[in-house]
Structures are given as structure tokens and as C-alpha cells.
Amino acid sequence: MQKNTKKKIAPVVIAVLVVAYVAPLLSMVAYAAGLLGAEGDWGVLPFLLLYAAVGGAVIVGVLAAMTQRLREIDGGEEDEASKY
């Protein structure tokens, strides 16, 4: 096992947990938006779409932060900082 493999576990686990939490919420919002759109109740639809956009942004942001953190770990940034 590489020296920095243990450091990679936490970002991946947290990203999986956040996506596992937010994805079902987004699917429920999409389902509700589909039901409301079929019945003609368009007043709530913009709020549902806004909520879905925010949830999607959370997922994309968490995945981007995880990717960036894994690159930092691979680059040895923590090892360099520990020297000082």
C-alpha cells in the first residue's frame, strides 16, 4: 500500500456520503416536479427547479473538491508543509 493511500480514504468516503444523501432528494424533487407539471400546478415548479439546481451544484462541488484534494495528496503537499 502506498504511503498516501490512507489519506485518500476520507475525501472519497465523505463525497460518497454527500452524494448518497443529496441524490435521493434530487430524485424526489424531479418526481414531484413531474407530477406537478402534469396536473398544471406551475406556481411551485420554479421553486422545485431552483432546489434541484442547488442540489446538483452541491453534488458537482463536492466531487470537484474531492478531485482537487486527491490531486493535492498525490502531489505531496502535506509532506512538503510538514517540513516547515
Side-chain angles (χ1 to χ4, degrees):
M1 188 183 302
Q2 288 185 352
K3 179 179 164 183
N4 60 4
T5 303
K6 286 186 178 181
K7 294 179 185 178
K8 291 182 178 182
I9 294 172
V12 172
V13 168
I14 296 301
V16 167
L17 290 175
V18 169
V19 170
Y21 178 75
V22 175
L25 295 175
L26 288 178
S27 64
M28 287 187 289
V29 168
Y31 180 72
L35 287 179
L36 290 175
E39 294 175 2
D41 187 14
W42 296 98
V44 182
L45 191 61
F47 297 107
L48 291 175
L49 293 176
L50 178 65
Y51 187 78
V54 169
V58 166
I59 289 176
V60 170
V62 165
L63 293 177
M66 180 195 65
T67 304
Q68 180 182 2
R69 181 68 184 133
L70 292 177
R71 285 186 187 149
E72 289 174 359
I73 291 171
D74 284 338
E77 185 174 299
E78 287 183 354
D79 298 330
E80 292 175 15
S82 67
K83 294 177 186 176
Y84 298 107

